[in-house]
């Protein structure tokens, strides 16, 4: 089942059920006007929404053609955005880029940060950049939407708390990161609003590509019209979504609709390219002594997409343009 | 105007308007069933709620006696919990306690962290502690509730975005902090659910105690029945709420209902005591070479309250007990 949120009329948008081909939708109905409302009452919402999805596929439901520009993020505002950094290769490269050491517990203790969740961008929303000196970067990620997740949830039972998957562009202002992290309290100004894919999909839509709490498909990033990376999101995700959930639930519980990110997808094989510019710049420095790729500037475009083995776009496409602020 | 949220029936509770003495309330009505709904539409909500408040004070509204145990946090879940650390004395002492240096930009660049906001505790909710070795501490703070706050908001106009004030107990697991901050991504597991005062109040309720974006009243913390601190929240708040808002809005915008904390209220004068145990322990170490006050354990109680110059409790009282997990 694919779900999406039309923009308006309220701040949380309007929940719709999307046809598997992503080209049409039917309303979710008044019982579950928003995705948050459905997540708040998932035991009742899921079967009701699945009935609509089944009718759409059978051709029995009245559908409307889908224009991606009409979509907000699946959750236009969320109660929690917890972003992991589960791809070790990304951590090592990006820390090298800013002259910092990876943490000693790199492979044993997951890195996560608490992101802002009150303002989230839709898949085609512009990225407004006030100052090019901030060093704007994209970061392509896979995310889970959690249901209510109690403190103490273990990795073995974590799958029961994953309701949906989607993609994110975790926008980062690279040049603000070093001074901010030096203060010791983590990211804040360096992480402006994150953008999300058109569709949030139930785990079954991933079929056997979902194994061991990892999504075993390639995440494609296209920067200014050229493919810049298509790394495998599965094998090098050092901490699975299940392990990330166990980690974040050690001392806290999470409310339905919590967004949990994988961190920037990254492979050691250079042929797979990158999911952010910071990695590309570090690879340039290592190879030739200097970074030649600048950070993003007004007019740049970034597209992020994931296809299944049949070539179908599972989440629709994040397609954003940078505009001056 | 004093507002509060009864527990249930939904996840956001039920908004009520509280009589100035805090002892009775009237329903806010169906137009604004929750505080979040009111904040989402504050231009319409504020005058409607003020009419109810006026009627209550005139004795013209049917009221119900208020039992604080029936209250959730004013926002039982929020879209953003941004916590500053604006009292320099607190930063210096607490960093000393964990052998860390204050940031070089201590007095010029505000420290803020992004807290979890999906699960917030009501004023009398137990603090569940799974492991005493985590080093449970309270932190008494003053908080603002923001309306929609655009990116680029300057301190001069920040007052227009403050809708309400309330108090918080920013619960911290001190012994998890050093390892977590060493990883570089800020607090996460070390900051479990924060608790909030019974009432959120409009700025006018503070009268002339609200000056220059600071609340010039004492914040009283009572630990296991004994007053442990009553520092002045005004003069030593190095960065005012206005400056904190300018800082957080540098690269981001904020949605209505964002919670913004002052950080632990702290005075240089030792006669004013402390608003957290970490400071008390550090003062013991400086005076006698060793900390003698342990962190919180099951059975401990903490009460946090702020009175105006007439002795009236403005926000009601946070009154929590630690229970084993």
């Amino acid at each position: 089942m694919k779900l999406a949120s039309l923009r308006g009329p309220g701040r949380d948008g309007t929940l719709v059920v999307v046809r598997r081909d992503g080209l049409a939708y039917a309303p979710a109905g008044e019982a579950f006007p928003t995705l948050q409302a459905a997540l708040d009452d998932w035991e009742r919402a899921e079967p009701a929404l699945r009935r609509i999805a089944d009718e759409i596929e059978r051709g029995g439901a009245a559908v409307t053609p889908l224009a991606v520009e009409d979509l907000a993020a699946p959750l236009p505002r969320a109660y929690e955005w917890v972003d992991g950094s589960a791809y070790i290769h990304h951590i090592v490269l990006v820390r090298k880029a800013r002259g910092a050491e990876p943490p000693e517990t790199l492979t044993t203790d997951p890195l996560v940060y608490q992101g802002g969740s009150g303002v989230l961008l839709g898949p085609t929303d512009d990225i407004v950049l006030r100052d090019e000196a901030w060093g704007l970067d994209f970061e392509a990620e896979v995310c889970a939407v959690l249901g209510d997740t109690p403190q103490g949830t273990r990795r073995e039972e974590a799958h029961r708390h994953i309701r949906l998957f989607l993609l994110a562009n975790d926008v980062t202002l690279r040049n603000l990161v070093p001074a901010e992290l030096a203060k010791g309290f983590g990211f804040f100004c360096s992480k402006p609003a994150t953008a999300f894919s058109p569709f949030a999909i139930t785990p079954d839509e991933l079929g056997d590509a979902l194994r061991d709490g990892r999504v075993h498909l390639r995440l494609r990033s296209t920067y200014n019209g050229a493919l810049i990376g298509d790394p495998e999101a599965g094998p090098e995700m050092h901490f699975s979504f299940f392990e990330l959930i166990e980690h974040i639930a050690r001392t806290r519980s999470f409310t339905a609709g919590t967004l949990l990110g994988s961190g920037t997808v990254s492979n050691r094989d250079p042929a797979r390219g990158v999911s952010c510019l910071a990695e590309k710049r570090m690879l340039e420095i290592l190879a030739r002594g200097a970074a030649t790729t600048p950070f993003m500037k007004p007019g740049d475009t970034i597209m992020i997409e994931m296809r299944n083995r049949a070539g179908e776009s599972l989440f629709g496409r994040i397609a954003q343009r940078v505009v001056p602020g």
Side-chain angles (χ1 to χ4, degrees), chain A:
Chain A
M1 176 164 67
K2 278 179 158 68
L3 301 174
S5 295
L6 299 177
R7 298 182 197 273
R11 290 167 181 255
D12 298 302
T14 302
L15 179 62
V16 297
V17 182
V18 178
R19 200 166 64 194
R20 186 154 284 128
D21 67 7
L23 299 177
Y25 67 87
E30 287 179 14
F32 304 104
T34 67
L35 180 54
Q36 185 63 53
L39 290 161
D40 284 349
D41 192 11
W42 192 247
E43 299 300 313
R44 289 199 322 121
E46 189 187 9
L49 297 171
R50 281 195 187 275
R51 279 193 294 275
I52 297 171
D54 291 346
E55 271 185 53
I56 294 172
E57 296 308 320
R58 280 202 315 268
V63 295
T64 304
L66 185 145
V68 69
E69 296 75 16
D70 295 339
L71 297 181
L75 289 169
R77 54 181 179 173
Y79 292 105
E80 207 113 28
W81 163 223
V82 179
D83 197 10
S85 190
Y87 296 85
I88 300 288
H89 186 61
H90 172 75
I91 301 172
V92 170
L93 270 185
V94 171
R95 297 238 173 173
K96 202 175 278 185
R98 59 170 198 261
E101 289 295 314
E104 287 180 23
T105 52
L106 182 68
T107 59
T108 55
D109 186 22
L111 269 176
V112 299
Y113 77 91
Q114 185 93 41
S117 54
V119 178
L120 303 174
L121 300 183
T124 61
D125 283 347
D126 290 335
I127 303 171
V128 178
L129 179 60
R130 295 233 165 158
D131 188 344
E132 280 188 52
W134 290 344
L136 178 67
D137 201 355
F138 64 92
E139 296 195 51
E141 307 196 4
V142 180
C143 302
V145 181
L146 305 186
D148 289 309
T149 303
Q151 187 185 348
T153 296
R154 302 303 301 264
R155 62 190 74 183
E156 296 77 13
E157 54 194 344
H159 66 278
R160 292 196 279 120
H161 303 289
I162 297 180
R163 298 279 175 264
L164 301 164
F165 284 99
L166 73 173
L167 305 180
N169 176 13
D170 176 38
V171 178
T172 301
L173 300 170
R174 293 285 178 202
N175 294 340
L176 301 187
V177 170
E180 193 149 67
L181 295 196
K183 294 197 291 177
F185 274 23
F187 305 101
F188 195 89
C189 294
S190 52
K191 292 284 187 181
T194 305
F196 289 89
S197 57
F199 315 135
I201 69 176
T202 46
D204 56 289
E205 292 286 318
L206 290 164
D208 66 1
L210 180 62
R211 294 192 305 277
D212 303 326
R214 296 170 176 88
V215 177
H216 291 265
L217 291 169
R218 288 188 178 179
L219 183 63
R220 297 170 58 86
S221 295
T222 304
Y223 179 48
N224 290 337
L227 184 73
I228 193 170
D230 60 350
E232 293 282 350
E236 294 182 53
M237 187 181 184
H238 184 80
F239 299 105
S240 71
F241 278 105
F242 301 158
E243 289 166 303
L244 291 177
I245 290 169
E246 176 174 301
H247 174 73
I248 67 173
R250 182 179 172 212
T251 62
R252 294 169 47 175
S253 58
F254 295 88
T255 200
T258 292
L259 293 157
L260 175 62
S262 67
T264 306
V265 177
S266 178
N267 288 175
R268 281 181 294 270
D269 178 1
R272 295 275 62 77
V274 297
S275 301
C276 70
L277 295 178
E279 284 193 30
K280 186 168 167 65
R281 288 165 54 88
M282 192 61 223
L283 293 170
E284 290 165 353
I285 290 169
L286 293 176
R288 296 187 292 277
T292 52
T293 301
F295 286 118
M296 298 174 89
K297 51 197 181 310
D300 283 359
T301 61
I302 177 66
M303 298 196 306
I304 297 169
E305 190 174 26
M306 182 175 264
R307 299 178 189 166
N308 64 13
R309 293 199 191 82
E312 297 157 341
S313 180
L314 288 171
F315 302 94
R317 185 188 280 166
I318 294 174
Q320 298 184 274
R321 178 178 297 274
V322 181
V323 301

